[in-house]
Amino acid sequence: NKLDESGNIIEYGKLKFGPVWDFDFTMGGHFTNEPVDASYIGWARHTSVFAANIFFADFLKDANNYNLVKERWNNISSKVKLVADKLRDYKDYISQPSKIDAKKWYGENGAFKFDMQYDYVRLFVLDRLDYFNELFNLEHNAFLTKVEIPLN
């Protein structure tokens, strides 16, 4: 990110991540060092990111803070959608080395597991995007109720 002389962000840098074939571990909330063999897609519509973290819960209890987060989400959500769209193209780009890697780690059906895990990541991002769009269209009190943050 580029900052002005006052420390305000004036330009955002690129979002960088990889390797995509391990992202499946981040969505289920646990790490087993084995390929994911169950769907945790429901986590995309889970609100623990807000309620389970005391910092986020306390921060979002304040309506002004909520409105700042809501405004920021509205500014960046299209970029999250763009990431999901780019993932579709990126899969073709990394397909061959990823399938070789997956075969090494997971055997003969590793290439299939790579395909499924990659598609799973993209679906997770799209479901999460939809869910956050729903959440940040709510008024403050409705948001707190939905994500199970108590007011007191």
Side-chain angles (χ1 to χ4, degrees), residues 25-42:
F25 289 125
T26 66
M27 293 179 289
H30 68 282
F31 178 75
T32 63
N33 202 29
E34 295 294 327
V36 172
D37 59 1
S39 175
Y40 296 96
I41 202 69

Side-chain angles (χ1 to χ4, degrees), residues 77-146:
S77 62
S78 63
K79 291 179 175 78
V80 176
K81 174 70 167 78
L82 181 62
V83 168
D85 292 344
K86 294 282 185 185
L87 283 173
R88 180 179 46 244
D89 301 329
Y90 190 62
K91 181 179 181 182
D92 290 338
Y93 180 73
I94 66 167
S95 181
Q96 284 309 111
S98 300
K99 288 179 179 181
I100 293 167
D101 178 76
K103 185 175 179 181
K104 177 185 180 264
W105 286 100
Y106 307 129
E108 288 303 314
N109 66 349
F112 176 74
K113 287 187 180 283
F114 162 75
D115 276 344
M116 294 300 100
Q117 291 171 354
Y118 194 98
D119 294 343
Y120 177 59
V121 168
R122 187 165 182 274
L123 179 59
F124 187 94
V125 170
L126 290 170
D127 281 1
R128 190 69 156 181
L129 174 68
D130 287 345
Y131 187 54
F132 276 29
N133 282 335
E134 290 172 23
L135 289 177
F136 290 120
N137 276 321
L138 297 173
E139 293 301 319
H140 182 237
N141 284 336
F143 171 84
L144 294 177
T145 300
K146 180 76 173 176

